[in-house]
């Protein structure tokens, strides 16, 4: 039923002639350019000798501190720090973050708006702060300054562009996947991030100080368009309070807020993008690589603690034009659906190269009247350091030959992935090739081996739905 229902959409969509570039589509469909950034994971500890100066300086002076020559023992001292607080790779340093903004400005100097889908702070942030002698009582302020610094640099690169920033699981005043509502960290970030929206600043600051959630109406030329921004750390399977206790009250409160916002948008005939960090989806990596035996009764690994965010988005599919998330650092497309109601989900690739991926950003074209994502192109760095000229890796319209990335297209694509168990179609092979940014297709063979199981993760967001899909696929072999 899952495959059949989605495949019925293929015939009608594939009759539409596409292939025009983003600039051509903009002229024909009255679109505006949008820049999408995510998972910067800025590491202020790359030169440990500068830590004391950063601790004392306001975020507005960090660029000056970071731009000073590195200490003579910088490499050795950072290696010691990395050994004390090991991570799976290296996050974004100051040169890489600067390069990402310089390269994006070359491609799109005046976007209509910018989205940042979470995780401004580096991995192992709390450990490295402590290892360099930081005081626990001062940690929330230093963490908030790091987020503020990232925001200030984006604003400096795009001073006239509204920028809408969601917080991620690393963006916390008390540790990865930990936070408390109304915390000093959230209040500080609300004050730092709200001015970047360039409208409703006081309203956003007030809303965001509670849980990091807020709403804003987009200015003209967008028509009846609204963004709902979530700090969905509270809904993660890994979430704990700052005191270290599991707590689902914040998740329930967040979903209630989202439902109220979406209901209001429906009544006011608004078109909405929901922006967060962690998508309501299967944790495909841990489910597949972790060897979860879902056909033998073991549950799939989930990114969120329950299905309420996904089901809420679906319930308001008439309102939600796009759900924009990140977190995996990869380039992904998902479809949330139940019956005839569907929502397109786009996962934005990361600036951070911690997984061995090349840093990437996404340039999109958004239709002003419908608020639909008409097209996008992903730009990647030539290396993990971000040095050199970043280039277009692929363009959605010319790769998938669909007129937009909306609910119908997401259903069409994921249905095709499910049907194509051996990944023989051009769409499946393109997805495998571009999933890992900058890879050039080297890991496509690994994706091909995992394809049937991964394809199920693109088309269902519940553990039971994934189990049925994966086991049906296994039985069909």
């Amino acid at each position: 039923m899952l495959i059949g229902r989605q495949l019925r959409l293929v015939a009608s969509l594939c009759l539409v002639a596409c292939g025009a570039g983003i600039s051509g589509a903009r002229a024909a469909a009255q679109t505006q350019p949008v820049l999408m950034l995510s998972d910067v994971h800025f590491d202020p500890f790359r030169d440990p000798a500068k830590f004391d100066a950063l601790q004392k300086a306001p975020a507005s002076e960090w660029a000056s501190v970071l731009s000073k020559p590195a200490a003579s023992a910088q490499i050795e001292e950072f290696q010691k720090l990395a050994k004390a607080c090991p991570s799976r790779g290296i996050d974004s340093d100051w040169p890489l973050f600067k390069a990402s903004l310089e390269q994006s400005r070359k491609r799109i100097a005046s976007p209509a708006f910018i989205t940042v889908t979470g995780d401004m702070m580096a991995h192992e942030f709390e450990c490295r702060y402590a290892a360099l002698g930081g005081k626990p009582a001062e940690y929330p302020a230093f963490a908030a300054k790091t987020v503020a610094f990232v925001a200030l640099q984006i604003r400096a690169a795009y001073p006239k562009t509204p920028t809408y920033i969601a917080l991620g699981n690393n963006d916390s005043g008390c540790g990865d996947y930990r936070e408390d509502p109304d915390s000093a960290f959230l209040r500080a970030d609300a004050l730092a991030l709200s001015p970047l929206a360039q409208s409703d600043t006081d309203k956003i600051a007030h809303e965001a100080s509670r849980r990091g959630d807020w709403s804003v109406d987009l200015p003209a030329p967008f028509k009846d368009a609204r963004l709902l921004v979530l700090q969905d750390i509270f809904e993660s399977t890994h979430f704990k309070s700052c005191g270290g206790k599991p707590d689902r009250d914040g998740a329930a409160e967040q979903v209630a807020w989202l439902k109220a916002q979406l209901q209001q948008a429906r009544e006011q005939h608004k078109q909405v993008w929901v922006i967060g960090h962690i998508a309501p989806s299967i944790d495909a990596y841990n489910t597949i690589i972790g060897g979860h035996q879902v056909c033998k009764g073991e549950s799939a690994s989930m990114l969120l603690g329950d299905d309420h965010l996904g089901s809420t988005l679906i319930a308001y599919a008439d309102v939600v034009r796009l759900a924009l998330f990140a977190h995996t650092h990869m380039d992904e497309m998902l479809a949330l659906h139940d019956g005839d109601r569907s929502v397109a989900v786009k996962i934005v690739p990361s600036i951070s190269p911690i997984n061995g991926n090349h840093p990437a950003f996404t340039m999109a074209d958004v239709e002003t009247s419908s608020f639909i994502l008409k097209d996008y192109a992903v730009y990647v760095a030539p290396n993990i350091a971000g040095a050199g000229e970043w280039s277009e890796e692929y363009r959605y319209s010319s790769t998938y030959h669909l007129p937009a990335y909306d609910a119908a297209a997401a259903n069409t694509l994921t249905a095709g992935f499910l049907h194509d168990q051996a990944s023989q179609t051009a769409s499946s092979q393109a997805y495998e090739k571009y999933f890992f940014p900058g890879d050039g297709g080297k890991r496509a063979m690994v994706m091909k081996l995992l394809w049937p199981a991964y394809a199920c993760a693109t088309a269902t967001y519940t553990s039971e739905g994934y189990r049925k899909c994966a086991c049906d696929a296994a039985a069909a072999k």
Side-chain angles (χ1 to χ4, degrees):
M1 289 296 292
L2 178 64
I3 296 174
R5 180 173 60 247
Q6 292 186 324
L7 283 175
R8 287 196 293 270
L9 295 167
V10 174
S12 59
L13 280 172
C14 288
L15 290 174
V16 181
C18 305
I22 284 183
S23 59
R26 183 179 304 144
Q30 295 184 339
T31 63
Q32 286 289 313
V34 170
L35 174 62
M36 298 174 177
L37 306 173
S38 196
D39 291 274
V40 174
H41 287 291
F42 177 68
D43 185 357
F45 310 116
R46 187 63 63 85
D47 186 352
K50 295 176 180 176
F51 173 69
D52 288 343
L54 292 174
Q55 182 87 309
K56 296 173 184 176
S60 59
E61 296 177 10
W62 274 26
S64 176
V65 174
L66 293 164
S67 297
K68 292 180 180 179
S72 58
Q74 181 265 329
I75 295 176
E76 293 83 358
E77 291 303 311
F78 180 70
Q79 287 176 341
K80 290 180 184 177
L81 183 61
K83 185 175 181 179
C85 303
S87 186
R88 62 183 181 270
I90 295 177
D91 275 317
S92 305
D93 60 5
W94 177 222
L96 169 54
F97 182 35
K98 283 196 298 182
S100 70
L101 294 175
E102 290 167 359
Q103 290 292 316
S104 67
R105 276 191 57 81
K106 283 187 177 181
R107 305 303 184 285
I108 181 169
S110 300
F113 63 90
I114 298 169
T115 62
V116 185
T117 39
D119 271 1
M120 272 66 72
M121 292 167 56
H123 295 86
E124 300 300 328
F125 199 96
E126 185 181 21
C127 177
R128 295 179 181 187
Y129 176 86
L132 291 175
K135 298 177 181 178
E138 298 175 358
Y139 178 78
F142 189 83
K145 280 201 297 184
T146 303
V147 173
F149 170 72
V150 172
L152 285 171
Q153 297 313 302
I154 295 173
R155 185 169 191 176
Y158 293 96
K160 298 181 180 179
T161 300
T163 300
Y164 309 111
I165 299 178
L167 298 174
N169 56 280
N170 284 99
D171 303 326
S172 164
C174 58
D176 192 15
Y177 290 106
R178 294 189 177 195
E179 194 52 82
D180 286 336
D182 298 308
S183 67
F185 173 83
L186 289 176
R187 292 195 299 270
D189 280 340
L191 291 174
L193 301 182
S194 55
L196 275 73
Q198 300 190 9
S199 65
D200 294 333
T201 300
D202 292 340
K203 169 184 170 294
I204 293 170
H206 175 73
E207 282 186 318
S209 65
R210 171 64 179 163
R211 282 179 318 277
D213 307 333
W214 50 277
S215 65
V216 65
D217 286 336
L218 293 187
F222 293 97
K223 180 178 174 60
D224 298 321
R226 179 173 295 171
L227 297 181
L228 302 180
V229 181
L230 304 175
Q231 162 50 318
D232 55 3
I233 185 177
F234 294 101
E235 299 189 51
S236 167
T237 55
H238 304 297
F239 174 73
K240 294 181 180 179
S241 69
C242 286
K245 296 181 179 180
D247 183 358
R248 300 304 301 168
D249 290 344
E253 185 179 342
Q254 184 170 70
V255 169
W257 176 86
L258 178 62
K259 286 180 179 178
Q261 292 290 324
L262 290 171
Q263 181 61 34
Q264 182 185 73
R266 178 182 281 167
E267 293 169 357
Q268 296 177 352
H269 305 290
K270 298 287 187 179
Q271 305 169 112
V272 171
W273 281 15
V274 175
I275 299 177
H277 182 63
I278 307 173
S281 67
I282 309 297
D283 184 346
Y285 180 85
N286 283 321
T287 296
I288 300 169
I289 303 301
H292 287 229
Q293 300 295 315
V294 295
C295 297
K296 294 182 179 180
E298 189 174 356
S299 297
S301 180
M302 306 298 294
L303 290 177
L304 301 183
D306 55 47
D307 302 329
H308 294 158
L309 177 56
S311 62
T312 299
L313 295 175
I314 293 169
Y316 289 90
D318 58 313
V319 173
V320 180
R321 296 291 174 264
L322 183 71
L324 200 62
F325 296 97
H327 186 58
T328 67
H329 294 208
M330 301 297 108
D331 189 285
E332 302 184 71
M333 296 182 284
L334 312 174
L336 303 177
H337 56 83
D338 183 5
D340 294 330
R341 295 174 300 179
S342 300
V343 173
V345 177
K346 184 73 189 77
I347 306 295
V348 182
S350 68
I351 297 294
S352 169
I354 194 169
N355 290 334
N357 56 293
H358 290 197
F361 58 79
T362 302
M363 296 195 314
D365 263 5
V366 180
E367 194 169 71
T368 55
S369 59
S370 67
F371 207 26
I372 285 175
L373 179 58
K374 292 293 291 183
D375 201 3
Y376 66 84
V378 175
Y379 282 79
V380 298
N383 47 61
I384 63 172
E389 197 71 12
W390 298 30
S391 61
E392 182 181 305
E393 183 162 59
Y394 80 96
R395 191 177 294 264
Y396 171 80
S397 58
S398 56
T399 299
Y400 294 104
H401 306 289
L402 290 169
Y405 184 70
D406 55 9
N411 273 328
T412 295
L413 288 166
T414 57
F417 298 157
L418 289 173
H419 186 69
D420 183 25
Q421 293 287 298
S423 67
Q424 295 178 331
T425 68
S427 290
S428 296
Q429 291 173 3
Y431 195 99
E432 292 171 343
K433 179 179 180 180
Y434 300 126
F435 172 83
F436 198 90
D439 176 60
K442 296 183 182 69
R443 290 174 176 81
M445 183 55 68
V446 176
M447 282 291 289
K448 187 177 184 70
L449 292 173
L450 304 175
W451 187 245
Y454 177 80
C456 286
T458 69
T460 182
Y461 72 101
T462 68
S463 181
E464 177 57 26
Y466 180 83
R467 184 201 64 77
K468 185 178 187 307
C469 178
C471 297
D472 287 352
K477 287 186 176 180

